[in-house]
Amino acid sequence: MPSLPPPGPDRRLATLALAVCLLAVAAAVVSFVEGSFVGIVWILLAGVSSNMAWFYVRKAKLERARRATASD
Protein backbone atom coordinates (compact mmCIF):
# COMPACT_ATOMS: atom_id res chain seq x y z
CA MET A 1 0.00 0.00 0.00
CA PRO A 2 1.58 3.32 -1.06
CA SER A 3 2.25 5.88 1.65
CA LEU A 4 1.15 8.84 -0.46
CA PRO A 5 -2.50 9.40 -1.32
CA PRO A 6 -3.65 9.01 -4.93
CA PRO A 7 -3.30 12.03 -7.23
CA GLY A 8 -5.70 14.79 -6.29
CA PRO A 9 -6.05 17.76 -3.98
CA ASP A 10 -5.07 15.84 -0.83
CA ARG A 11 -1.84 14.61 -2.38
CA ARG A 12 -1.04 18.07 -3.70
CA LEU A 13 -1.63 19.68 -0.30
CA ALA A 14 0.37 16.98 1.50
CA THR A 15 3.28 17.44 -0.91
CA LEU A 16 3.24 21.22 -0.56
CA ALA A 17 3.07 21.00 3.23
CA LEU A 18 6.02 18.61 3.21
CA ALA A 19 8.01 21.00 1.00
CA VAL A 20 7.23 23.89 3.37
CA CYS A 21 8.34 21.72 6.28
CA LEU A 22 11.67 20.92 4.67
CA LEU A 23 12.28 24.55 3.71
CA ALA A 24 11.41 25.71 7.23
CA VAL A 25 13.88 23.23 8.73
CA ALA A 26 16.60 24.45 6.34
CA ALA A 27 15.79 28.08 7.24
CA ALA A 28 15.96 27.22 10.95
CA VAL A 29 19.37 25.61 10.55
CA VAL A 30 20.70 28.62 8.64
CA SER A 31 19.21 30.98 11.21
CA PHE A 32 20.76 29.15 14.16
CA VAL A 33 24.14 28.89 12.41
CA GLU A 34 24.10 32.67 11.93
CA GLY A 35 23.37 33.10 15.64
CA SER A 36 19.80 34.33 15.34
CA PHE A 37 16.99 33.04 17.50
CA VAL A 38 14.45 33.64 14.72
CA GLY A 39 15.06 29.96 14.01
CA ILE A 40 12.56 29.19 16.75
CA VAL A 41 9.81 30.61 14.53
CA TRP A 42 11.01 28.43 11.66
CA ILE A 43 10.93 25.37 13.91
CA LEU A 44 7.33 26.17 14.87
CA LEU A 45 6.40 26.58 11.20
CA ALA A 46 8.03 23.23 10.43
CA GLY A 47 5.94 21.60 13.14
CA VAL A 48 2.69 23.04 11.84
CA SER A 49 3.43 22.12 8.24
CA SER A 50 4.48 18.57 9.14
CA ASN A 51 1.20 18.15 11.01
CA MET A 52 -0.67 19.41 7.94
CA ALA A 53 1.15 16.93 5.71
CA TRP A 54 0.36 14.08 8.12
CA PHE A 55 -3.30 15.18 8.29
CA TYR A 56 -3.80 15.18 4.52
CA VAL A 57 -2.08 11.80 4.05
CA ARG A 58 -4.17 10.28 6.86
CA LYS A 59 -7.36 11.87 5.52
CA ALA A 60 -6.77 10.37 2.07
CA LYS A 61 -6.04 6.92 3.54
CA LEU A 62 -9.22 6.98 5.63
CA GLU A 63 -11.26 8.12 2.64
CA ARG A 64 -9.79 5.33 0.50
CA ALA A 65 -10.57 2.76 3.22
CA ARG A 66 -14.12 4.11 3.56
CA ARG A 67 -14.67 3.79 -0.19
CA ALA A 68 -13.29 0.24 -0.16
CA THR A 69 -15.65 -0.87 2.61
CA ALA A 70 -18.60 0.90 0.99
CA SER A 71 -18.03 -0.90 -2.32
CA ASP A 72 -17.91 -4.35 -0.65
Side-chain angles (χ1 to χ4, degrees):
M1 182 162 77
S3 61
L4 280 177
D10 286 336
R11 182 174 186 167
R12 201 171 318 122
L13 288 170
T15 304
L16 288 174
L18 184 61
V20 168
C21 180
L22 293 175
L23 289 172
V25 168
V29 168
V30 169
S31 180
F32 284 130
V33 165
E34 290 181 354
S36 174
F37 288 107
V38 177
I40 295 169
V41 175
W42 290 114
I43 293 295
L44 294 173
L45 181 64
V48 169
S49 61
S50 70
N51 285 342
M52 287 176 59
W54 178 254
F55 170 78
Y56 285 115
V57 167
R58 183 164 165 78
K59 179 182 167 189
K61 283 183 182 179
L62 290 174
E63 182 67 27
R64 191 172 40 214
R66 187 184 62 80
R67 273 194 231 128
T69 56
S71 65
D72 287 345

